[in-house]
Amino acid sequence: MLLIPCPYCGEREETEFHHGGEAHIERPKNPDAISDEAWADYLFMRANPKGIFLERWVHDAGCRRWFNMARNTATNQILDSYKMGEKPPKGAR
Amino acid sequence: MKSLSKYSIFSLARNALSHHKGWGKAWRSPEPKERYDAIIVGAGGHGLATAYYLAKEHGLTNVAVIEKGWLGGGNTGRNTTVIRSNYLWDESAAIYDKALKLYEGLSQDLNYNIMLSQRGVVNLAHNLHDVRELKRRVSAIRLNGIDSEFLSPDQIKEMIPIIDTSPSARYPILGASLQRRGGVARHDAVAWGFARAADARGVDIIQQCEVTGILREQGKVTGVETTRGRILAPKVGIVAAGHTSVLAEMAGIRLPITSYPLQAMVTEPVKPIINTVVMSSAVHCYVSQSDKGEVVIGAGVDGYNGYSQRGSLPIVEEQLAAVCQLFPLFSRLRIMRMWGGIVDTCPDASPIISKTPVEGFYINGGWGTGGFKATPGSGWVFAHTMARDEPHELNAPFKLERFTDGSLIDEHGAAAVAH
């Protein structure tokens, strides 16, 4: 059981949360103008590192807010969580 | 080295006379050569099958299979051994049924008993929507020439007396699909059989050798860097389920793959109580009984990606709660072992068996939670792809470019089971 540090509520058990996949993916500003490759990259291609991963979570059984987290995918060690719009913690890329 | 002998009733009798001390090794442990015609990264079932079919079907025997751990120690040794080909879409049905047909003759072909047991695979329907969906799929599967039938609750109860089909059940059972040709095979034996047969044809299986880099020159692959030195080859195929993204990144390729832990567990051994495979997509479980008597239970994937081969505990709790509702007597069983494997999933829940933008570099991965059943078919088409530098018609739809041109093969839920 992971203990996830919600930036708003503090540490809670993982069953209160849902995972939202890779963080910091921006929808292309002008989808009509970009190539199929760039669109596929936005839609489907994902970082899948064995190591530090920046990801989104939602605390849906708590404050129901989205936030980001840096986690090591090999060990499940959580480096830190941070609010949407904030920069990832140091040491996480 | 003692030459590999054919396994038969006569060799069994002959070795019995010497108290079974004279059996030779099933495969060699060679030092890596400087150069091969082809390198396969990953000595799991799919990689070993690829090497076997490269040698058998395409005459390519100067081949190395490189493995960072021990052969068959990844997902090949961690799955729940279920085999079936009841897939909805034509592309999937074709490749999975090719695999099932190869499985049906595999013990003879490899001269190795893979203990295939075609005891049937039952997919449960728990609500009216499930019933309609399953009936549609049964028809679609039959149109592809694959056996499939629909069972009523009474027929299910007759076949599986320990299942709870009462109307008041937490997960009421309104019907099921059945593929009688489906079943289980001994997963380790599949890896060992392919390893022995590939080795006998001259393939070098190099264990304890981790690939640390993919060598390239002017957009062409030239070999791999490993913990045991540089090994050269004009063709490199990666068949390293779970770690496909990690290896592809070494060649500068970004993939639509995300890796998740998938868990399974076995109970203490008991007398025969269930003689088929039961799956339920609604409650994410699949259950069968091993020849040793253990009840083998497969779970759903974890809620977040990762490479820890353990998986998260809440999944186990949900899993066992659901299984005990379906099979009330399982509540008396004790879990003996539980483990996790890393599955690499694609957005359309279909594999990638494809050439890549790097010449001579091939990818076979993204099988998600269901790679074991495809093992011989996967190796067969991937050998074709690597030997001829073009896909076989069976794996042509499973190209990497489908994510760009939009020709996805959306098997999410289509196979009536969690992916």
Side-chain angles (χ1 to χ4, degrees):
Chain A
M1 177 77 81
L2 294 185
L3 289 175
I4 294 178
C6 171
Y8 303 98
C9 311
E11 221 167 60
R12 301 287 183 89
E13 293 183 352
E14 72 176 71
T15 46
E16 292 190 15
F17 299 83
H18 269 103
H19 190 243
E22 188 180 353
H24 305 294
I25 293 176
E26 270 184 51
R27 186 184 168 88
K29 296 238 168 14
N30 192 352
D32 293 336
I34 63 171
S35 65
D36 287 353
E37 284 74 21
W39 186 245
D41 197 79
Y42 159 68
L43 268 189
F44 297 124
M45 303 302 161
R46 291 293 177 266
N48 189 22
K50 187 174 189 174
I52 306 295
F53 184 56
L54 303 178
E55 59 194 4
R56 300 179 303 172
W57 287 84
V58 59
H59 192 186
D60 46 6
C63 63
R64 303 184 63 186
R65 280 195 272 194
W66 284 89
F67 60 94
N68 290 330
M69 192 162 90
R71 175 176 60 95
N72 185 325
T73 60
T75 61
N76 276 332
Q77 184 201 9
I78 295 167
L79 273 71
D80 209 354
S81 62
Y82 52 104
K83 293 175 184 171
M84 287 286 169
E86 291 180 356
K87 290 234 180 316
K90 277 185 186 163
R93 270 191 277 190
Chain B
M1 208 209 114
K2 199 170 171 178
S3 70
L4 301 173
S5 59
K6 190 170 155 56
Y7 293 156
S8 66
I9 183 83
F10 303 107
S11 68
L12 189 63
R14 199 167 50 245
N15 280 284
L17 294 174
S18 55
H19 303 282
H20 296 294
K21 286 176 182 165
W23 291 104
K25 286 191 174 169
W27 50 80
R28 300 162 295 133
S29 294
E31 283 300 310
K33 287 191 275 189
E34 201 174 301
R35 188 181 297 272
Y36 290 91
D37 292 337
I39 289 173
I40 292 153
V41 182
H46 290 232
L48 293 165
T50 305
Y52 172 67
Y53 290 117
L54 271 176
K56 185 188 173 208
E57 306 282 346
H58 304 281
L60 218 57
T61 55
N62 186 25
V63 173
V65 185
I66 300 178
E67 167 60 47
K68 77 171 174 183
W70 65 95
L71 72 85
N75 291 344
T76 301
R78 293 165 190 270
N79 60 74
T80 50
T81 78
V82 177
I83 289 168
R84 60 188 174 86
S85 62
N86 54 351
Y87 276 73
L88 177 65
W89 301 116
D90 296 350
E91 298 87 345
S92 315
I95 195 166
Y96 286 105
D97 206 52
K98 170 74 186 174
L100 181 47
K101 283 179 180 143
L102 287 169
Y103 263 126
E104 285 170 334
L106 202 57
S107 291
Q108 286 73 26
D109 187 29
L110 298 180
N111 179 230
Y112 202 98
N113 187 5
I114 61 156
M115 297 164 73
L116 177 69
S117 162
Q118 291 178 292
R119 59 182 70 176
V121 171
V122 174
N123 287 99
L124 300 175
H126 296 293
N127 54 47
L128 281 176
H129 174 75
D130 284 357
V131 170
R132 291 185 192 117
E133 248 331 280
L134 278 189
K135 282 186 173 169
R136 173 198 175 209
R137 283 170 197 167
V138 164
S139 301
I141 291 162
R142 289 168 73 115
L143 282 174
N144 273 320
I146 298 169
D147 76 297
S148 188
E149 56 200 274
F150 192 82
L151 301 179
S152 69
D154 288 342
Q155 287 172 304
I156 297 167
K157 187 72 181 172
E158 197 185 327
M159 205 173 152
I160 312 159
I162 61 169
I163 202 166
D164 183 5
T165 53
S166 63
S168 60
R170 169 69 183 82
Y171 304 110
I173 291 167
L174 304 184
S177 69
L178 167 65
Q179 184 181 19
R180 291 190 190 272
R181 282 167 63 233
V184 294
R186 176 95 166 90
H187 51 357
D188 294 325
V190 172
W192 298 336
F194 272 122
R196 175 171 171 272
D199 178 276
R201 288 175 184 267
V203 171
D204 280 359
I205 302 166
I206 300 157
Q207 304 180 68
Q208 307 284 328
C209 178
E210 184 172 357
V211 169
T212 53
I214 308 287
L215 304 172
R216 286 161 293 153
E217 263 171 41
Q218 292 158 356
K220 280 189 63 159
V221 81
T222 57
V224 293
E225 199 69 67
T226 77
T227 48
R228 287 167 69 176
R230 181 168 286 202
I231 308 174
L232 301 176
K235 290 171 192 258
V236 174
I238 59 169
V239 199
H243 285 68
T244 312
S245 303
V246 176
L247 282 155
E249 202 184 340
M250 293 178 190
I253 296 171
R254 232 163 105 75
L255 293 176
I257 285 179
T258 307
S259 300
Y260 292 92
L262 175 68
Q263 299 183 80
M265 57 211 90
V266 294
T267 68
E268 60 191 320
V270 289
K271 288 192 175 179
I273 47 174
I274 181 164
N275 65 354
T276 184
V277 181
V278 178
M279 315 180 95
S280 164
S281 57
V283 297
H284 283 262
C285 84
Y286 25 113
V287 169
S288 64
Q289 192 171 14
S290 75
D291 293 340
K292 284 183 284 184
E294 303 152 335
V295 177
V296 185
I297 302 169
V301 293
D302 272 15
Y304 44 91
N305 60 311
Y307 289 87
S308 74
Q309 285 177 316
R310 305 172 58 140
S312 76
L313 281 170
I315 295 279
V316 177
E317 189 181 354
E318 277 171 33
Q319 187 60 51
L320 292 176
V323 163
C324 289
Q325 292 289 342
L326 285 176
F327 303 96
L329 65 78
F330 284 5
S331 64
R332 303 284 296 276
L333 295 176
R334 280 169 294 195
I335 296 292
M336 227 172 33
R337 295 187 303 277
M338 47 192 267
W339 63 91
I342 304 305
V343 298
D344 41 8
T345 59
C346 281
D348 60 352
S350 288
I352 298 168
I353 319 162
S354 180
K355 295 171 67 171
T356 68
V358 178
E359 207 183 318
F361 187 67
Y362 309 88
I363 287 180
N364 183 348
W367 287 93
T369 62
F372 176 70
K373 71 175 88 69
T375 303
S378 161
W380 195 85
V381 296
F382 198 48
H384 183 285
T385 308
M386 286 185 67
R388 311 221 180 153
D389 194 36
E390 62 180 14
H392 186 271
E393 63 176 1
L394 284 175
N395 68 310
F398 298 94
K399 62 193 175 185
L400 184 53
E401 303 88 63
R402 74 178 187 268
F403 298 96
T404 307
D405 68 25
S407 55
L408 302 184
I409 304 158
D410 189 5
E411 282 291 347
H412 262 300
V417 58
H419 274 280

